[in-house]
Structures are given as structure tokens and as C-alpha cells.
Amino acid sequence: MASESGASSGEYISHHLTNLTLGQRPDGSWGIAHSNEEIAQMGFWAINLDTLGFSVVLGALFLLLFHWVARRVTTGVPGRSQNLIEMTVEFVNNNIKSMFTHDSKTIGPLALTVFVWVLLMNVMDLVPVDLLPRLAELTGVPYLKVVPSTDVNVTMGLALSVFLLILFFSVKQKGAGGFAAELCFHPFGKIAAPINFILESVTLIAKPISLGLRLFGNLYAGEMIFILIALLPWWIQWTLSVPWAIFHILIIFLQAFIFMVLTIVYLAMAFAVEEH
């Protein structure tokens, strides 16, 4: 808590919302930033080590868990881990079948990866806000944000990856000319091509922006509420943190689900070839 460490409420909140950042200092040397001022001076090429580290670890955990279960799969009575994995795969497949009517070997693995990886990153929001940052401080690490999806770099990186796939499959399925015609000739026909292009371009660009910012905003707000609760006396913390954590489980799952569903929908639109 802030009162226990001697920090003000503002300093406590700022500390918990600051990433462990590696970058180039004004003197040309590379190192870990120890203040928000140093982070601002490092500019665009600064790297959030905690975000990158937790994202990679959680992604590896996803791969290892699914690989471990797949190696031990049985046709008899399945264990709890196999049941969980099968339920997850079936859940993703059912959503794909209801929204994606085209033939593609990409959409299944992509949707499963997006859903599970985002879910694992979101679940980190349930770790007590002081636990890992306090342990990191004991080892000399000045900052540590443990929820990758509260970093806009991660959410927008995922969204831009989906956006690139949208562009790739749009051109692959419709051809460069067909995709250009889709942007220029709808919804008002060829005579209003400039207006159509502006409207369709805005709609296209809005997809990754809304996809990334929606996930970031919801998880950032949830983390902020946990931090504010941690500023209260301990006997109030338990009264508020447990109900909020239970409710937040729904948000964690829902945001991963929405990200997966929108990915499927956007790719289904990219695959769709319409003749007018």
C-alpha cells in the first residue's frame, strides 16, 4: 500500500502504471529508465521489457500446455486438462462455423491463438497489484507492469496484425483490382468514387483502431480500479476487491471473446467476394 511505503497516492498510482522500459538515454547510452522523464526522453524506440516478457512467457505457456495435452490425448475417459482444452477448441470452432462460411486453414488456428493468448494476458489482471511489483523492487527492478493487455503497444500490435491479414486476404480473394473497386465503388457507385474511397477507407482504418483500443481501455480501467482499491485501508480492500475481482472475471473473458469474434468477422468480410 502507498501509506506503508511512504509514497503519496499519486506516486503509487504512477509507479504501478509505469512500464519497465529499456531505451537510449540522451547521452547515447542504453539502459533501464528510472523515471517517467527518462522514459519520455527515450522516444519511440524504447522497449517495454515487462510487457514483452510477460507476453512471450504467456504465449509459450499457451503453446506448451496445448502441446502437452495433445501428446497425451486419449479416446477413453479424458482428464481434466484434456476436457478443458477440448472445450476451448470446440467453443472456438462453434463460433467460427456460425460466422465464417469460407474455406480456410488459417482462421481456426488464428482464432484459437487470439482467444487463448488474449485471455491469458487478461488473467494477469487478477494477480494482486502489489505482489509482483514488490518482489521486483526487492531485486532492484524499479517498475513492473504485469498485465500485457494494459499496454496499448500490445493491443494495437495485435490489432494491426489482424489488419494486415485483412488486407492480405482481401487482395488474395478479390484481387488488387477487386479490392480497389470495393473501396471506390461502394456504397454510392462509380460516380461518387472519391467520396466512396474516403468513407470506405475510414471504415477500414477504424477496424484495427477500435479493436486495439477497446481491449486496452477495458483492461486498463480494470487495473486502475484494482490500484485504487489497494490505496484503501486493508479492511476495506477485501470488501471491495473480492466482488470486483469476481465481476472482472467476466470482463476478462468477454474482452478475449470480443477480440476473437471481431477477428473472425473481419476476416469473413475479407474473404467475401460479391458481384454487383
Side-chain angles (χ1 to χ4, degrees):
M1 291 177 58
S3 58
E4 294 175 353
S5 61
S8 68
S9 297
E11 291 171 339
Y12 178 82
I13 294 172
S14 176
H15 178 271
H16 279 66
L17 295 179
T18 303
N19 287 98
L20 177 64
T21 306
L22 171 68
Q24 189 175 23
R25 299 190 176 97
D27 61 4
S29 64
W30 282 76
I32 301 295
H34 287 78
S35 68
N36 287 319
E37 289 75 17
E38 285 190 13
I39 294 175
Q41 292 172 354
M42 288 177 175
F44 177 78
W45 293 110
I47 302 171
N48 292 340
L49 295 178
D50 44 9
T51 295
L52 184 62
F54 281 111
S55 299
V56 171
V57 169
L58 292 171
L61 176 64
F62 158 58
L63 294 175
L64 291 173
L65 175 61
F66 275 65
H67 177 72
W68 181 80
V69 172
R71 290 286 299 272
R72 290 160 179 78
V73 67
T74 177
T75 56
V77 180
R80 284 178 294 182
S81 57
Q82 183 177 332
N83 261 329
L84 177 62
I85 300 303
E86 288 180 349
M87 288 173 59
T88 303
V89 173
E90 184 177 0
F91 172 74
V92 172
N93 281 336
N94 288 338
N95 280 279
I96 293 173
K97 290 176 182 177
S98 65
M99 292 177 281
F100 193 88
T101 58
H102 311 280
D103 184 23
S104 174
K105 296 181 179 179
T106 303
I107 189 67
L110 175 64
L112 180 65
T113 300
V114 165
F115 176 69
V116 178
W117 198 15
V118 172
L119 182 62
L120 288 175
M121 288 192 285
N122 292 353
V123 165
M124 295 298 293
D125 210 8
L126 297 178
V127 177
V129 294
D130 282 328
L131 179 59
L132 295 182
R134 185 65 58 84
L135 293 175
E137 279 187 313
L138 295 177
T139 62
V141 177
Y143 301 105
L144 191 69
K145 278 184 69 177
V146 303
V147 189
S149 46
T150 60
D151 188 340
V152 71
N153 296 288
V154 165
T155 60
M156 289 306 300
L158 288 170
L160 288 174
S161 299
V162 173
F163 182 63
L164 292 177
L165 288 174
I166 293 172
L167 296 180
F168 173 77
F169 284 113
S170 293
V171 174
K172 181 180 178 181
Q173 295 296 118
K174 305 165 188 176
F179 182 50
E182 187 178 76
L183 293 178
C184 295
F185 301 154
H186 298 89
F188 301 123
K190 296 182 180 180
I191 193 172
I195 297 175
N196 293 334
F197 180 75
I198 293 172
L199 293 176
E200 291 297 318
S201 296
V202 170
T203 301
L204 187 65
I205 294 172
K207 290 177 181 178
I209 295 176
S210 62
L211 192 62
L213 293 184
R214 180 187 293 104
L215 177 60
F216 164 73
N218 280 278
L219 270 296
Y220 190 89
E223 181 72 0
M224 176 64 78
I225 291 176
F226 277 121
I227 293 172
L228 294 176
I229 291 174
L231 288 167
L232 300 173
W234 66 268
W235 51 275
I236 300 180
Q237 287 185 33
W238 283 103
T239 306
L240 297 178
S241 62
V242 173
W244 175 245
I246 294 173
F247 173 73
H248 201 55
I249 292 173
L250 174 62
I251 298 176
I252 286 170
F253 177 85
L254 185 61
Q255 290 306 312
F257 173 72
I258 291 174
F259 202 99
M260 177 194 71
V261 166
L262 290 179
T263 298
I264 297 170
V265 170
Y266 291 158
L267 288 176
M269 295 169 63
F271 271 79
V273 180
E274 299 180 2
E275 295 292 341
H276 293 272

